[in-house]
């Protein structure tokens, strides 16, 4: 069989901002706490879906192609009073923002890694009863996805939601 298997990945990430106000540190901290999503300063949400095809392999079937779609949103703060603030506070904010952005991008990278694992697992699965493809695909996807959700939680705990990734804005 000279047929080659195929895999694809579509990533669609939308960046949104919420306002942070203040010209001094204390008012900015209050604004971050009041306006941040779910008590955080940044938030990455993503969802992965998959499609696959199978081909006959003797009396059995095998996965032939798999395409994954990673859709996500990253919500980050936008400091509306930055131009009027002292240079030292602006620098502290810029350092913090860069670390927060790096952290949220790490969550999206986890989604891309999951997509690669799913593709590898499906295309390497081998022969199966044709009627079992849907159940096998769902079971393998759910197992890998749950592992990744646990890894994402551990990533947040280990980095204190980005605070340890280079800069810290809160005391």
């Amino acid at each position: 069989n000279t047929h080659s298997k195929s895999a694809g990945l579509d990533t669609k990430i939308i960046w949104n901002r919420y306002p942070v106000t203040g010209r001094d540190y204390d008012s900015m901290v209050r604004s971050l706490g009041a306006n941040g999503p779910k008590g955080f300063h940044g938030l990455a949400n993503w969802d992965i879906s998959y499609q696959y095809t199978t081909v006959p392999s003797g009396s059995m079937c095998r996965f032939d192609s798999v395409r994954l779609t990673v859709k996500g949103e990253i919500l980050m703060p936008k400091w509306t009073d930055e131009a009027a603030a002292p240079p030292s506070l602006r620098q502290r904010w810029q350092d913090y923002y860069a670390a927060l952005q790096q952290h949220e991008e790490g969550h999206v990278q986890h989604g891309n890694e999951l997509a690669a694992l799913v593709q590898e697992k499906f295309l390497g699965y081998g022969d199966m009863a044709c009627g079992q493809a849907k159940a096998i695909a769902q079971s393998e996807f759910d197992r890998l996805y749950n592992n990744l959700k646990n890894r994402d939680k551990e990533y947040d705990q280990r980095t204190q939601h980005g605070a340890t990734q280079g800069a810290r804005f809160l005391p």
Side-chain angles (χ1 to χ4, degrees), residues 157-170:
Q157 289 168 350
R158 179 170 36 86
T159 65
Q160 297 174 341
H161 296 272
T164 59
Q165 215 153 344
R168 189 183 187 101
F169 194 70
L170 294 179

Side-chain angles (χ1 to χ4, degrees), residues 39-139:
F40 300 113
H41 295 177
L43 191 65
N45 285 311
W46 47 270
D47 186 52
I48 297 183
S49 58
Y50 65 90
Q51 296 175 304
Y52 64 87
T53 60
T54 59
V55 292
S57 176
S59 63
M60 307 286 274
C61 285
R62 62 177 50 219
F63 293 110
D64 180 53
S65 71
V66 60
R67 173 165 286 291
L68 287 104
T69 302
V70 179
K71 291 182 183 174
E73 176 194 25
I74 296 178
L75 187 57
M76 294 283 291
K78 177 170 178 49
W79 185 18
T80 59
D81 297 324
E82 185 170 4
S88 61
L89 187 58
R90 290 200 312 261
Q91 185 60 56
R92 185 174 183 180
W93 174 258
Q94 288 163 6
D95 292 346
Y96 176 70
Y97 188 93
L100 184 62
Q101 181 175 342
Q102 180 183 353
H103 173 82
E104 298 308 333
E105 287 172 345
H107 283 293
V108 174
Q109 181 57 35
H110 291 171
N112 292 335
E113 291 169 11
L114 173 64
L117 287 171
V118 169
Q119 289 171 338
E120 182 182 314
K121 187 67 176 178
F122 280 30
L123 296 180
Y125 193 83
D127 291 348
M128 67 195 134
C130 294
Q132 291 296 307
K134 183 176 180 180
I136 289 169
Q138 191 65 55
S139 174

Side-chain angles (χ1 to χ4, degrees), residues 3-18:
H3 183 79
S4 64
K5 297 177 180 187
S6 72
L9 173 63
D10 298 317
T11 303
K12 299 169 187 154
I13 304 298
I14 298 167
W15 288 79
N16 286 318
R17 306 268 185 272
Y18 67 90

Side-chain angles (χ1 to χ4, degrees), residues 143-159:
R143 183 178 64 79
L144 292 168
Y145 192 59
N146 285 330
N147 286 346
L148 186 79
K149 283 195 283 191
N150 290 335
R151 185 172 160 212
D152 236 21
K153 285 180 197 165
E154 187 276 329
Y155 172 68
D156 273 338
Q157 289 168 350
R158 179 170 36 86
T159 65

